Amino acid sequence: MAAIWAGIDAGKSHHHCVAIDESGRRLLSRRVANDEPELLELLTAVLALGDEVTWGIDLADGAAALAIAILLNHDQPVNYISGRAIHRASESYRGEGKTDAKDAAVIADQVRIRRDLHPMRIGDETVLDLKILTGRRMDLVAERTRTINRLRAQLTGIFPGLERALDLTNTGPPIPLTGYQTPAALRRAGRKRLETWLRNRKVLRADRLAETALEAAGRHHTSLPGEKLTTQMVHTLAREVLALNQQVAEIDKAIEARFREHHDFEVITSLPGLGVVLGAEFLAATGGDMAVFGTPDRLAGFGGVAPVPRDSGKISGNLRRPRRYNRRLQRVFYISALFSIRHCEDSRRFYERKRAEGKRHIQAVLALARRRVNVLWALLRDERTYEPLPPTAPAA
């Protein structure tokens, strides 16, 4: 019996599986419920077709979590192929239609012919928890940003001066908006009363915040249309922002507590700019197993900080940013590089050297991020923490 390749087009309630042989001929095409008994029946049916089966799937978690767990628990090799790659590959197959069966067949055939797919593994429990926690944090931060933008829009409609004066992305400025939303209300309160009100709510630098708010109120004496209803909206949105701030703070504590249990916590957080949250996101994006990538070059390519050549004819040395990469990991590398420029002398010197060479800001930061991938890789390989090099003494 020959080798078999099976592709699974994963769905929320049902999956579609297609199995092919080495010539690409379909041996099985079946729609199964996303339920353990039916998935086990599918596994038995596919295993009966050949001695060795290689599986492919287009989701790495979520709706496909049960199918992946069953396959891995039965020692089946499973490869992940992204939906974008499937969509691109589908253009080279016959027919313009799109069905679950066709997508599953494309997955199976791509797993058969491609050699660049990474096998999926049973993940570390800590890394899986961090993936869930950091994913939840991203959702909360995105919702907080949307709420702050809505709050700014409403506040601009009745009190534009205060909207300009307050940085609502900080924790303190939204607090006065839960009690005072109009210039008249702030003027009636007065500085002493407003300052005491803010201090009772544990606002840092309550005196400065009160002064800023009252200065804005002193320049605005016109009541605008819709002020009464907008005032209620500002009050509600400000309270929502405070609630989201509290949720983000709580999940940050949960992330740190779980991240500290990982054996690479000290190594990862020792690299300047790569703190608790970004370090946890690094583990969530990579799985924490550097052996999967093999080399730091592959890790840099996966994170989108390694340029790829675009040569043709007489043109050589033409580099461009990659199109296929993990955007979440690129964000980790890029933001940590930005932070390191502020807090690490070596990173700042490297960045300034790249700028002096004529690179734009983003290019210089990406070049720094690429270099830091090599450093992080070496730290994880050697299981040691980062130590800055001592300054070299000038030669006599």
Side-chain angles (χ1 to χ4, degrees), residues 351-368:
Y351 169 80
E352 291 173 350
R353 185 168 77 248
K354 292 299 177 182
R355 291 286 284 166
E357 293 173 2
K359 293 187 181 295
R360 298 190 300 272
H361 168 71
I362 293 178
Q363 292 175 321
V365 175
L366 286 172
L368 173 60

Side-chain angles (χ1 to χ4, degrees), residues 276-330:
V276 171
V277 173
L278 289 177
E281 290 186 1
F282 168 77
L283 283 180
T286 62
D289 186 2
M290 297 299 102
V292 172
F293 301 98
T295 65
D297 294 338
R298 285 190 176 181
L299 176 60
F302 181 69
V305 294
V308 296
R310 193 176 185 180
D311 300 340
S312 179
K314 297 180 180 180
I315 299 176
S316 62
N318 184 24
L319 302 176
R320 64 167 175 83
R321 292 178 64 183
R323 294 178 180 175
R324 294 184 296 169
Y325 58 89
N326 186 299
R327 281 154 177 77
R328 185 176 182 182
L329 185 58
Q330 186 195 56

Side-chain angles (χ1 to χ4, degrees), residues 158-184:
I158 60 171
F159 199 169
L162 187 60
E163 189 277 331
R164 289 194 306 270
L166 297 182
D167 184 0
L168 298 176
T169 59
N170 292 329
T171 56
I175 293 177
L177 297 178
T178 62
Y180 306 92
Q181 299 85 28
T182 63

Side-chain angles (χ1 to χ4, degrees), residues 4 142 176 191 272 341 378:
I4 302 297
R191 178 166 182 172
I341 294 172

